[in-house]
């Protein structure tokens, strides 16, 4: 297996002579294999290696045992080790994210801090073929573009994945052959996390019932998609140079996408160009979704002056030359994962600033906690995993509808307003919680019957309206 990894590292230009490398070591089979392989590669590349272990303070007793094992392992291999102890449960609650996301963020922060201390070291992670297939299926399930179909890249920025060309079975056989012990994480076999369900059920089913070489074929496809994405990214970069004009305003980046040039760009490239521009203006991309790109592209076909509020306090505005994207202190997220506000008539209501969102992880809540405890007139819960788009807080627009009963029957929002005898002059100011055109909650009036929290709900989107006494309804 080592020769296979060595060739993979060389093909993807992961290492150079005298590189400094941070190795993420959890104590599990994959990371122990990674450390061992890096020490072998050290002989060829004269590497300087440092290990980093993150104790998430989960799994009472077991987490400390893992830490103790990694300390002993690194001491025996004479590898310098830095240990970070981070209360992931506390971090998740503080940041309004799941413990899985918080753990990932904690590890990334620890690795990058140590890499910076070493003077720009590379960060080696132990992802392998099976992990890559899990990522692919997860991306497809959540919705992805071409880039997501490429899975985990062998090398991206400072991150490298030397084991990405080998399978979990090869790693375990390698450890057995070299008599290397490792820690077993029992939570890997539980179905608490989405990734675990894919690992424990979907992939085995595909290999056992469809094709035993499913993992290999999926990895081959991802490699092709990765190369295709590199080509697309190059084309997008060229289109950006001709279609986009950037400028600075009080330290904030703004962009003008010229309509005459944009419309000559192949339709397949346009969403990627918009994403690239938004990412540069926002300085981040996590909460940018397909719906944001679609709505921004629609602006090119609308009248001058029309606006759209986007995540990260961005605003897209239709102007004579095309579409301007800039930071807008009044616009942007309302305080939740994937949250967004949007204008439908050119007016922006400040009431939306009182909408707060957070994502709760059901498994971290007390079993006896009733899902109706927080169901007040101005706090609602929704099943986060079955929401199709980014949740937006906005006013009405054509095509809106609401689910009116548990049988799934729907009603046009306009008809709902008529039935409830809501005055015409008030309708444009009523805030809505929307999943695309699907209205989940007419704030102050009624909650739709879609995305209800059930016993099978894993993640809960909690939406709270502060100072809700100013809203007219009680549902």
């Amino acid at each position: 297996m080592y020769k296979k990894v060595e060739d993979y590292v060389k093909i993807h230009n992961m290492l150079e002579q005298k590189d400094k490398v941070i190795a993420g070591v959890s104590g599990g089979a994959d990371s122990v294999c990674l450390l061992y392989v890096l020490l072998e590669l050290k002989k060829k590349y004269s590497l300087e290696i440092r290990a980093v272990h993150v104790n998430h303070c989960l799994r009472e007793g077991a987490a400390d045992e893992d830490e103790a094992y990694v300390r002993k392992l690194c001491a025996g291999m004479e590898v310098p080790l830095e240990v970070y102890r981070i209360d992931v449960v506390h971090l998740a609650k503080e940041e309004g994210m799941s413990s899985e996301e918080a753990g990932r963020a904690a590890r990334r922060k620890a690795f990058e801090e140590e890499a910076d201390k070493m003077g720009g070291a590379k960060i080696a992670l132990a992802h392998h073929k099976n992990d890559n297939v899990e990522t692919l299926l997860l991306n497809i399930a959540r919705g992805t573009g071409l880039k997501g179909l490429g899975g985990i890249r062998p090398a991206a920025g400072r991150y490298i994945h030397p084991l990405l060309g080998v399978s979990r079975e090869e790693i375990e056989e390698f450890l057995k052959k070299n008599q290397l012990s490792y820690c077993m994480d029992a939570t890997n076999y539980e179905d608490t996390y989405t990734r675990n369900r894919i690992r424990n059920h979907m992939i085995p089913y595909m290999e056992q019932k469809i094709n035993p070489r499913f993992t290999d074929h999926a990895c081959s496809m991802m490699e092709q998609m990765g190369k295709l994405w590199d080509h697309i990214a190059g084309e997008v970069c060229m289109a950006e140079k001709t279609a986009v004009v950037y400028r600075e305003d009080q330290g904030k980046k703004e962009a003008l996408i010229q309509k005459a040039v944009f419309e000559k760009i192949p339709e397949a490239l346009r969403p990627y160009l918009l994403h690239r521009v938004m990412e540069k203006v926002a300085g981040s991309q996590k909460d940018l979704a397909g719906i944001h790109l679609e709505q921004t592209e629609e602006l090119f076909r609308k009248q001058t002056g029309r606006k759209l509020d986007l995540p990260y306090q961005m605003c897209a505005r239709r102007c004579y030359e095309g579409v301007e994207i800039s930071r807008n202190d009044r616009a942007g997220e309302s305080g939740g994962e994937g949250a967004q506000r949007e204008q439908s008539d050119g007016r922006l209501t400040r009431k939306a600033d009182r909408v707060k969102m957070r994502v709760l992880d059901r498994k971290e809540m007390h079993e006896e906690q009733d899902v109706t405890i927080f169901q007040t007139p101005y706090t609602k819960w929704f099943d986060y995993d079955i929401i199709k788009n980014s949740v937006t807080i906005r006013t009405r627009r054509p095509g809106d509808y609401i689910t009116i009963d548990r049988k799934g029957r729907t009603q046009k929002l306009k008809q709902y307003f008529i039935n409830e005898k809501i005055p015409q002059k008030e309708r444009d100011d009523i805030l809505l919680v929307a999943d695309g055109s699907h209205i989940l909650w007419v704030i102050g009036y009624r909650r739709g019957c879609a995305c209800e929290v059930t016993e099978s709900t894993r993640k809960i989107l909690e939406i709270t309206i502060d100072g809700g006494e100013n809203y007219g309804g009680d549902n």
Side-chain angles (χ1 to χ4, degrees):
M1 188 204 78
Y2 171 73
K3 185 62 169 63
K4 191 173 181 179
V5 173
E6 182 182 23
D7 291 343
Y8 191 79
V9 167
K10 183 177 180 180
I11 289 171
H12 294 285
N13 301 309
M14 293 187 195
L15 295 171
E16 297 178 0
Q17 287 295 322
K18 297 184 177 181
D19 265 345
K20 300 175 181 179
V21 181
I22 292 291
V25 182
S26 67
D30 309 334
S31 64
V32 171
C33 180
L34 172 68
L35 186 58
Y36 188 92
V37 166
L38 286 174
L39 289 175
E40 288 298 309
L41 290 169
K42 178 181 179 179
K43 300 172 185 176
K44 179 176 181 178
Y45 291 96
S46 301
L47 305 176
E48 180 182 345
I49 300 171
R50 180 181 300 175
V52 174
H53 175 79
V54 179
N55 185 331
H56 298 105
C57 301
L58 298 170
R59 299 181 297 120
E60 187 175 357
D64 291 337
E65 291 175 5
D66 290 351
E67 179 185 325
Y69 170 78
V70 173
R71 288 184 182 277
K72 182 179 179 181
L73 176 72
C74 291
M77 291 182 167
E78 298 183 341
V79 175
L81 170 69
E82 293 293 334
V83 174
Y84 285 70
R85 296 180 65 88
I86 301 172
D87 187 338
V88 167
V89 172
H90 176 74
L91 177 63
K93 291 179 179 178
E94 195 174 61
E95 298 295 330
M97 60 178 70
S98 71
S99 60
E100 187 177 17
E101 293 168 321
R104 189 161 49 245
R107 292 192 297 274
R108 178 177 287 271
K109 183 179 179 182
F111 297 152
E112 294 186 353
E113 281 184 5
E114 288 303 315
D116 290 340
K117 288 179 185 177
M118 282 188 76
K122 291 177 178 176
I123 301 170
L125 301 182
H127 296 106
H128 47 69
K129 273 187 174 184
N130 303 71
D131 291 323
N132 207 5
V133 176
E134 291 167 17
T135 298
L136 171 65
L137 294 176
L138 196 58
N139 288 346
I140 292 172
R142 290 176 172 173
T144 186
L146 180 60
K147 186 177 182 181
L149 293 178
I152 302 170
R153 302 307 300 274
R158 63 169 75 181
Y159 287 87
I160 59 174
H161 301 90
L163 304 183
L164 205 59
V166 297
S167 68
R168 180 180 290 114
E169 291 75 16
E170 289 176 286
I171 289 172
E172 291 175 352
E173 180 61 30
F174 177 82
L175 294 175
K176 182 179 179 180
K177 182 179 179 180
N178 289 277
Q179 298 183 326
L180 294 170
S181 62
Y182 54 90
C183 301
M184 296 289 291
D185 186 350
T187 61
N188 287 336
Y189 302 97
E190 299 173 356
D191 287 344
T192 303
Y193 298 121
T194 304
R195 183 178 285 274
N196 285 12
R197 293 193 290 274
I198 292 174
R199 175 186 304 143
N200 299 332
H201 300 287
M202 290 183 65
I203 294 178
Y205 181 88
M206 294 297 291
E207 291 179 336
Q208 295 167 16
K209 303 294 184 180
I210 308 299
N211 189 329
R213 296 197 62 199
F214 168 71
T215 295
D216 289 335
H217 291 325
C219 288
S220 177
M221 186 210 73
M222 283 187 281
E223 186 173 352
Q224 294 178 54
M225 288 296 117
K227 292 176 181 178
L228 180 58
W229 169 250
D230 289 341
H231 173 73
I232 293 295
E235 294 293 311
V236 170
C237 185
M238 292 177 60
E240 181 186 24
K241 291 178 181 178
T242 60
V244 185
V245 177
Y246 291 103
R247 55 177 177 266
E248 296 283 339
D249 182 18
Q250 298 180 348
K252 296 179 181 179
K253 180 165 287 192
E254 297 181 348
L256 167 64
I257 306 172
Q258 302 172 86
K259 183 176 185 291
V261 184
F262 183 78
E263 291 181 339
K264 294 179 182 178
I265 296 171
E267 189 174 347
L269 295 181
R270 294 175 190 173
Y272 298 110
L273 174 60
L274 293 176
H275 191 283
R276 184 180 180 88
V277 173
M278 289 180 191
E279 183 182 347
K280 284 190 174 182
V281 173
S284 185
Q285 63 171 340
K286 181 178 181 293
D287 290 332
L288 296 175
I291 187 66
H292 306 134
L293 308 179
E294 293 171 13
Q295 292 170 345
T296 302
E297 189 167 351
E298 286 176 8
L299 278 182
F300 286 92
R301 298 185 287 274
K302 293 185 177 180
Q303 294 176 328
T304 299
R306 296 298 296 271
K307 296 181 181 180
L308 172 70
D309 287 327
L310 299 164
Y312 304 109
Q313 296 183 327
M314 288 190 297
C315 176
R317 183 178 69 87
R318 177 72 168 91
C319 61
Y320 177 76
E321 298 91 345
V323 170
E324 290 179 332
I325 298 179
S326 61
R327 297 294 292 272
N328 181 345
D329 291 336
R330 298 183 304 163
E333 296 170 294
S334 302
E337 186 176 326
Q340 172 197 5
R341 264 200 343 271
E342 178 183 325
Q343 293 174 222
S344 60
D345 59 358
R347 293 179 296 163
L348 178 65
T349 172
R350 293 291 292 170
K351 289 182 181 180
D353 294 332
R354 297 160 69 179
V355 179
K356 303 298 179 183
M357 300 186 191
R358 63 173 179 161
V359 177
L360 308 174
D361 197 328
R362 185 70 171 275
K363 70 180 181 59
E364 295 172 2
M365 301 166 67
H366 298 300
E367 291 182 3
E368 67 273 14
Q369 188 170 359
D370 193 317
V371 298
T372 63
I373 287 178
F374 294 101
Q375 301 286 355
T376 71
Y378 305 106
T379 298
K380 301 296 180 188
W381 281 2
F382 303 88
D383 190 323
Y384 182 75
D385 290 324
I386 61 177
I387 292 173
K388 296 179 180 179
N389 306 290
S390 294
V391 172
T392 64
I393 308 299
R394 58 173 175 80
T395 51
R396 65 171 179 164
R397 69 183 186 198
D400 285 343
Y401 65 95
I402 187 169
T403 300
I404 58 175
D405 58 33
R406 288 185 172 84
K407 293 181 179 179
R409 289 184 293 186
T410 63
Q411 183 179 80
K412 290 183 178 179
L413 183 64
K414 180 180 179 181
Q415 188 60 50
Y416 166 75
F417 283 156
I418 293 172
N419 293 346
E420 293 298 312
K421 297 181 172 57
I422 298 174
Q424 177 75 34
K425 63 181 180 180
E426 296 179 10
R427 297 174 190 173
D428 287 338
D429 293 324
I430 294 174
L431 289 183
L432 309 169
V433 175
D435 175 15
S437 295
H438 193 178
I439 304 304
L440 305 180
W441 184 15
V442 181
I443 296 177
Y445 291 89
R446 78 161 289 174
R447 181 201 191 288
C449 293
C451 301
E452 291 188 327
V453 173
T454 66
E455 289 303 317
S456 62
T457 298
R458 297 293 181 181
K459 288 185 180 180
I460 295 171
L461 174 63
E462 180 183 270
I463 304 179
T464 302
I465 313 300
D466 294 328
E469 68 275 3
N470 289 334
Y471 288 90
D474 57 1
N475 293 306

